[in-house]
Amino acid sequence: VSTITLTTDFGTGDWFVGTLKGVILGINPRATIVDITHEIPPGDIRGGAFALAASFRFFPAGTIHVAVVDPGVGSRRKAIGVQTANYFFVGPDNGVLSWALAKEKVNEVRALENKEYFLHPVSRTFHGRDIFAPVAAHLSRAVRMRKFGTMLKEFLRLPCPEPRRRKDGRIEGEVIYVDRFGNAITNIDASILADVKNASGKVLVGGKCICSTGGFYDSVARGKPVAVLGSSGFLEISINGGSAAKRFGLRPGTSVVVHL
Amino acid sequence: VSTITLTTDFGTGDWFVGTLKGVILGINPRATIVDITHEIPPGDIRGGAFALAASFRFFPAGTIHVAVVDPGVGSRRKAIGVQTANYFFVGPDNGVLSWALAKEKVNEVRALENKEYFLHPVSRTFHGRDIFAPVAAHLSRAVRMRKFGTMLKEFLRLPCPEPRRRKDGRIEGEVIYVDRFGNAITNIDASILADVKNASGKVLVGGKCICSTGGFYDSVARGKPVAVLGSSGFLEISINGGSAAKRFGLRPGTSVVVHL
Amino acid sequence: VSTITLTTDFGTGDWFVGTLKGVILGINPRATIVDITHEIPPGDIRGGAFALAASFRFFPAGTIHVAVVDPGVGSRRKAIGVQTANYFFVGPDNGVLSWALAKEKVNEVRALENKEYFLHPVSRTFHGRDIFAPVAAHLSRAVRMRKFGTMLKEFLRLPCPEPRRRKDGRIEGEVIYVDRFGNAITNIDASILADVKNASGKVLVGGKCICSTGGFYDSVARGKPVAVLGSSGFLEISINGGSAAKRFGLRPGTSVVVHL
């Protein structure tokens, strides 16, 4: 039993995602296909990279993760397949895989070149269907990595904004993702915060303290803000029963300072 | 073959639902996972309860229904597993399961306490991933109910607005759900209406007759309103080819009177 | 292993799609169910017809395609099952299947009449659940076409706007679908364009040249328009990294002229 996940900016309003699944099932009728999300904003490579990095490790070992946010489709950007200690990753070499790969031991990177494993004719606008889906399906049937193309030494890595500890001891980071609930997820992670669960920290945005740290959303009254160590392992600014992003105007890139 | 259904307010824009599925497949790679919906408005326990109550009985016996609309996650609200005559139900003990359970013979209610069946570390903000998904997956592998925790005598029941027959013979109910098509589903069900199919009933909102009862949407001209006995077994106010909710300003709670 | 695809206007906000899947799994627990899309605008039969026609052939032979965009549910429109050289199709006889069927060799058309294969009681508002889903599930268990009802000689065919070559050699067509990315897909296909890949064609809308043809989206600078032979086999007007539909006010029905 092989699982293939899909993370794309295709949306679910058209037939694109269904088509990918048809191609996969034509090659491996026993594949289990799981949607991570198809609502990455069109062309938002960082959004796709973050969604994949936040979710890939919850899948069983051997899972094949396909990510297609591919504004450069048809141009000379490479298509790659990557084998890590635990998973396979398939997608364009534009950085969309790189934040997940940064957390894994990378064993082998291959350019996807062998047309034998593509859907024909290969279009110039839909490599999700014609290259990435069929390659993933063949991987799920245990085709070896070396069959797909040349070994590569490198792949494109997106810069990942790192939080930093200032001289005054405060931690400075930024919002990296806003989720459906309006929680503003920052790049400030558990390791740098160490004991945020217990410490009474203050969170500052634009120089103003907007909330304290807490254990969970409902640890404050309804409508009140709190910063919790969220399920992805990052500090997130939330409002119990509301949208912190809307209330405080938070979006990816907004600077956040934590004062423990 | 075991089916697990998911009803949540997670949306499909983030990676939350995909993550739940990864956790389930890690425990039971053969589980069949079906989305009921993930578009319950954030924190709307009644919306989740209604969606589950309207759909659960169309699944094969033995199906495990997981519902996670959980604004109190991390607080002291209990997590429960329920075995009924035909199904299993898993979710927070905040009422989201209760409208479905009201239609089933409840055999056993357990607090989900045994950490052996959780994903570790258990976060304080995402019990869908860390508790409900893994417990459902273990249930699908035939782990016994008694393994999960203490037997409970009670679970939280959401009040369910009941229609009533007035002295003048009219039936008084309310809108309980508005669907994608703008159909306003009321709490007035087949049993109290008995022969609505034949009777020429009138439907009043705000004291004004807005339409008559009919057999199906297309039984009136395009753009015209009609009240039909809908697929969930409740009277719903519809417009052939349009949105009754918009036209008449109907929403959950709007009072509706039927005069047969 | 049998695949059943679903193309509907049910949306994913309610429980309708989940319910269909429950009914299918109750009849055939081994069915693989794939969503093509559920976001066809309510009642838009042409939208559903196009989505199905653009995707059905990417599925393995034997796949059962169910399409339910059914504003006339409950009226006297027929329900049909169709067997073609490669696939099965199930849906209302209102044209939603017809653009896909136009590309297939049709072997047999049956009225769906045999109540033995329906879900009971059959509602008058939700034949997706009560007729189309159970019939598809029985088909996936190899029930013979002749079991479902009378053989039909005809089915309703939606007119399909055809592109035409004008006396001056220009090709005249129209926009037929706008996708998530704002690409305006026309009805001008590869066969009539023959060598659009090489030819330097001009695309005119409202008498004004808006762009040239190109090989792929990224063949022009970001923010620039280009007309590519898209993945569905039709010429589409695009903007690299933007929405051509918004920029040029394109929508289904907009006239498009190509001057090679």
Side-chain angles (χ1 to χ4, degrees), chain A residues 10 14-21 126, chain C residues 179-181 231-232:
Chain A
F10 296 166
D14 307 307
W15 56 86
F16 306 134
V17 174
T19 306
L20 256 72
K21 294 180 183 175
F126 197 5
Chain C
D179 75 15
R180 160 177 169 91
F181 300 94
S231 61
S232 307

Side-chain angles (χ1 to χ4, degrees), chain B residues 15 40 60 97 111 189 192 238:
Chain B
W15 55 87
I40 303 297
L97 304 176
D189 66 5
I192 194 167
S238 306

Side-chain angles (χ1 to χ4, degrees), chain C residues 77-82 89-92 109-115 117-118 131-133 135-136 139 145 147-150 152:
Chain C
R77 68 102 187 87
K78 284 197 188 74
I80 56 174
V82 182
F89 294 85
V90 174
V109 184
R110 296 271 170 185
L112 304 179
E113 299 163 330
N114 188 343
K115 295 184 169 58
Y117 300 107
F118 295 174
I131 297 181
F132 302 121
V135 163
L139 273 172
M145 283 288 286
K147 296 281 197 177
F148 294 104
T150 325
L152 298 177

